[in-house]
Amino acid sequence: MSRPTMDTVAERAGVSRALVSLVMNDSPKVSDAKRTAVLQAAAALGYLPNLHARSLAQQRTKTFGIIINDIHNPFFAEVVSGIEAAADEHGFSVLILNGGRDPGRERRAVETHLQFQVEALILVGTRLDDDELEQASRVAPTVIVASGPDHPGVDTITANDTIGAALAVDHLVALGHTDIVHLDGGDNISSRPRAAGFARAMRAAGLEPRVVRAGDGEADAEAAVVQLVEEEAVPTAIFAFNDLLAAGVLDVLESAGLRVPDDVSVVGYDNTFIAQLNHMSLTAVDQPRRKMGELAVQTMLERIEDNRTKPTNLDLAPTLAVRGSTGPPRHDGTTR
Amino acid sequence: MSRPTMDTVAERAGVSRALVSLVMNDSPKVSDAKRTAVLQAAAALGYLPNLHARSLAQQRTKTFGIIINDIHNPFFAEVVSGIEAAADEHGFSVLILNGGRDPGRERRAVETHLQFQVEALILVGTRLDDDELEQASRVAPTVIVASGPDHPGVDTITANDTIGAALAVDHLVALGHTDIVHLDGGDNISSRPRAAGFARAMRAAGLEPRVVRAGDGEADAEAAVVQLVEEEAVPTAIFAFNDLLAAGVLDVLESAGLRVPDDVSVVGYDNTFIAQLNHMSLTAVDQPRRKMGELAVQTMLERIEDNRTKPTNLDLAPTLAVRGSTGPPRHDGTTR
DNA sequence: GGTAACAATTGGAGCGCTCTAACGCAATGG
DNA sequence: CCATTGCGTTAGAGCGCTCCAATTGTTACC
């Protein structure tokens, strides 16, 4: 008692398999009588079309493959929402695979998606290098949602990190800070451009940039901040790679007996709901996540339907959400 | 210039298509010479097997379909990690679809998965009713990861809500609280059993349970708490349906000028990283999420490979993580 | 009444793969 | 020297669907 196929439905409705196919793809050239007969038979049998067979016959899947770099990070959730909404609107399905912040896993995820014949790849954050990206993009159009260096042939949707970092730095400088440390994102693809933006904004303000390697998870804050504390090199302000890291920073600072923002100001990046919680009240750079997801879909559609060939690199402008984790530095210039 | 197929590879390697198939499924009965020839040809052409064709021919997909009720909720992320790890170990792939906390979308997600011929459905949280669940489970074995009423024919992996609620209530009672309100999960599938567990634990302690309808997102706290404040019915302790809701509760209490835990103690559920952040420091019931994901896979494998037919209902024991959001009530018994 | 035009329906090839049965060929043994 | 075994290989049918070309049925027009 396996699942009913088109032939089962056809037989029950007393028509040919081709006619059932026409009904399933609601073609206009089917008589009402036969249409209802087919639909009834299908419903009675609980018939569901086999997508594998359809894809094979049709030579297309109308499906996008999404790979999320880190399913734990709320930043990605909203990008995915944007992608899903836009894809849905254009009759595309969306398959999600988890990169797990691990290049090996992500590589396998790409391969799985390609084997599934997805029509485009949307990488929401990525850990892959240029070669791998280029290779993937030769098989299916690929777009990266996240900032990072431009890749040949690969489309990108970014929110400008230079502007974002400048927003954070200028805000802190305006409050009177001069000793600002950036905790970078480690292996994250956006780590470099964001750190570069920070350095540039600092120099523009006549200040010396200090960057400490960290990572893109809340756990990555520990080592970096503890080191600063032990070296007695705690600055008056910390600009963290993202909200998760910033949340970790708040934790560690608190454990070390430092108060935010009295002793240290903290700025996050992404403005996820973590930053928005009153209890966190984290000043953070905001990226238009949903919009970025929507644009990713649009970009891929241009490749697929209008066969655009030159790469697109859309760069959106971030904004700053000011909250309670930033304030003027202590007058004596120390952190204690 | 479309993608190479098995025939392309076969021709280039000077063998038959069947031989290529054998190599791809690394059959032992292929000579080393031909094997390397095929692998070389495949690599040179960038050949990737077409999963649709394979699924069709093989009449199986080795794939699980996951539906996440709310991709924003960090609780689910870890369950998914557990599922992925266990599935991977058994050579199964995992397809993730987002239910978006909306029954309609979830229904379509189920249908999509079934059309993809997934061999089992894993619903991580669900908004579907008994009928729909039963219907799905007739097409493919289905397991629900989340507490809720038992469903006929549907397997469930739960962490016992009665115990969980009792842990929370007993903790609060031990601190001296007598006026405890539960904010329930609204439409969430686990809403009822958790509320029931609360009521039971309260009565066992000789107290009258008060339950206020809320929801399972941080935004759902607003209306419920504001109402309590306006009615001057703020209890000395609030037991929230989950961490997200608890986070919202902390927000609203703070805006209302109430201090946690001095004026009101708050307990969450799930013990996600939100609860663990020092800044939130939320006392919360902990469910063994990863384990639950692993067990879900195991349960489905028993159905598929060992064709078990009687439903499994695994119920794990939650624990309580005590943190800073709970403390003894004020002596005067008021909240201010 | 014959033919053209159109609408509704169907047969059948083919999408890329797997899998069974059969085949060729060397090695083995009587 | 021929039958037997077994290994490595292949031909070909079939998985469930789509889509083109062909067929039938109906109406319109001269």
Side-chain angles (χ1 to χ4, degrees), chain B residues 140-156:
Chain B
T142 303
V143 59
I144 301 173
V145 184
S147 38
D150 286 359
H151 307 278
V154 179
D155 296 338
T156 53

Side-chain angles (χ1 to χ4, degrees), chain A residues 9-31:
Chain A
V9 177
E11 195 178 354
R12 189 178 226 267
V15 298
S16 73
R17 186 184 58 248
L19 210 252
V20 177
S21 173
L22 289 177
V23 172
M24 286 303 151
N25 298 289
D26 39 43
S27 148
K29 43 170 102 176
V30 177
S31 67

Side-chain angles (χ1 to χ4, degrees), chain B residues 6 21 47 57:
Chain B
M6 230 169 214
S21 173
Y47 170 74

Side-chain angles (χ1 to χ4, degrees), chain A residues 68-241:
Chain A
I68 308 183
N69 173 40
D70 179 8
I71 203 174
H72 292 263
N73 189 335
F75 168 74
F76 296 123
E78 211 155 323
V79 176
V80 170
S81 294
I83 294 174
E84 283 177 332
D88 207 59
E89 202 173 304
H90 292 89
F92 273 74
S93 298
V94 151
L95 251 37
I96 305 172
L97 252 34
N98 182 12
R101 305 208 297 161
D102 169 45
R105 259 184 83 180
E106 191 176 344
R107 216 168 290 131
R108 291 195 325 260
V110 168
E111 201 163 293
T112 303
H113 268 150
L114 293 178
Q115 294 188 166
F116 262 113
Q117 316 293 112
V118 298
E119 299 192 18
L121 277 176
I122 304 180
L123 307 182
V124 189
T126 178
R127 289 288 220 269
L128 300 181
D129 63 33
D130 273 25
D131 267 4
E132 298 174 307
L133 290 170
E134 210 246 314
Q135 214 176 319
S137 74
R138 268 204 306 256
V139 185
T142 303
V143 58
I144 301 173
V145 183
S147 38
D150 287 358
H151 307 278
V154 179
D155 295 339
T156 53
I157 313 287
T158 55
N160 191 294
D161 276 323
T162 306
I163 297 177
L167 284 171
V169 169
D170 292 352
H171 167 64
L172 291 170
V173 169
L175 286 171
H177 292 271
T178 53
D179 186 9
I180 308 172
V181 163
H182 174 57
L183 297 191
D184 86 354
D187 293 335
N188 191 294
I189 187 179
S190 304
S191 190
R192 288 221 201 150
R194 207 162 286 172
F198 168 75
R200 191 166 159 179
M202 287 294 278
R203 294 222 177 77
L207 299 171
E208 189 58 30
R210 262 212 288 163
V211 176
V212 172
R213 190 177 168 84
D216 56 2
E218 65 267 36
D220 298 315
E222 176 98 31
V225 176
V226 164
Q227 190 194 341
L228 287 174
V229 171
E230 283 178 354
E231 292 177 355
E232 299 193 346
V234 179
T236 63
I238 292 178
F239 170 40
F241 173 74

